[in-house]
């Protein structure tokens, strides 16, 4: 049987997958695959926080 938190988490966008070490060419790229992952992870965390706030009936405006 699924719990309320499990059901709620099923509706969240999938978490970005970190790149593997071999995905990086070690060429000093301006935007490394690890940089892109960090950006995507930050955006995902913000979106998940927004969704959870909306579900809780809270304020969805960005902080700061």
């Amino acid at each position: 049987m699924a719990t309320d938190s499990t059901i709620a988490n099923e509706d969240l966008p999938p978490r970005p997958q970190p790149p593997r070490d071999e995905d990086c060419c070690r060429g000093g790229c301006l935007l490394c695959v690890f940089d892109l992952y960090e950006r995507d992870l930050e955006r995902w965390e913000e979106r998940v926080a927004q969704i959870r706030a909306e579900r809780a009936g809270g304020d969805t405006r960005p902080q700061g």
Side-chain angles (χ1 to χ4, degrees):
M1 174 178 261
T3 65
D4 289 339
S5 63
T6 303
I7 293 169
N9 287 336
E10 288 176 357
D11 294 334
L12 296 176
R15 182 184 184 103
Q17 294 297 309
R20 300 168 300 168
D21 285 339
E22 57 268 19
D23 292 335
C24 177
C25 69
R26 310 279 188 262
C29 301
L30 182 61
L31 287 175
C32 176
V33 293
F34 290 102
D35 297 326
L36 296 173
Y37 167 71
E38 290 296 325
R39 181 203 61 195
D40 291 346
L41 183 61
E42 184 176 308
R43 288 179 180 174
W44 176 83
E45 290 170 343
E46 290 170 358
R47 180 66 183 131
V48 166
Q50 180 184 26
I51 291 169
R52 288 183 173 152
E54 288 171 358
R55 288 181 184 162
D59 188 355
T60 60
R61 289 177 291 169
Q63 300 295 317

